[in-house]
Amino acid sequence: MGRRALPKTDPSVSISGHYVELSDLTPPLDVHEFFGAAGPLEIEIGSGKGLFLLNESARHPERLFLGVEAAIKYARFSAYRLAREERKNVRIVRGDAMRYLSEFVPDRSVEAVHVYFPDPWWKERHRRRRVMQESTIADIARVLVGGGTLQFWSDVAEYFESTCELIGQLPEFSDPQSVATGPAEHEMDYRTHFERRMRLNDHPVYRSRFVVDR
């Protein structure tokens, strides 16, 4: 199933307070200065249309949320949705998430990392492009605080299993924990738009949660 066209946006809504290009940032990033606020930080790798950030920033206004998205149209759309709802605790960084993690995020500074339905890059010769590589997982382990969590979800069994094996090779991470999900309480009560489509069409979703033990 391909991605649908994005809805039109209101040009009067400014996204300047919610959107930044990775190329405009200088490492390492002082996240509290970046947000102009203090609080535990959660990062979403590949924020897509921003549904997770939109929902979670409302549920946890005391937390800071940062989404990293490579596709400019999705990054700008996510920032628009957040700006329209006046969410002060969320920012979108448009750029390469692997570079952001490796160059901009200090050690043990993140409470949670979320990776939902990354591109599986089906062809064997393209699998090196997958975001969940050994180097990325090592950086996630490095940036998480003790007790911090990694959530990884996929609709591709092979990608899910191979990623869980890679995560399991790092001693910092606990054994995978299952993630229970109940029925949606409203039309958009899903982690992402992609999860919504999968569940509404009765397609399987593979979910796991890992905790850093230091």
Side-chain angles (χ1 to χ4, degrees), residues 4 6-7 16-17 27 34-35 48 75-76 88 104 110 134-135 137 148 150 156 167 176-177:
R4 299 172 183 173
L6 296 174
S16 61
F34 181 57
F35 278 86
R76 293 182 66 86
K88 304 298 185 183
F104 289 80
V110 179
E134 290 182 10
S135 58
I137 295 167
L150 164 62
V156 181
I167 296 171
Q177 302 174 358

Side-chain angles (χ1 to χ4, degrees), residues 71-90:
I72 189 168
K73 66 178 182 178
Y74 289 105
R76 293 182 66 86
F77 181 74
S78 295
Y80 165 79
R81 297 177 82 184
L82 297 164
R84 184 182 60 187
E85 299 299 323
E86 299 183 351
R87 298 292 162 75
K88 304 298 185 183
N89 59 330
V90 196

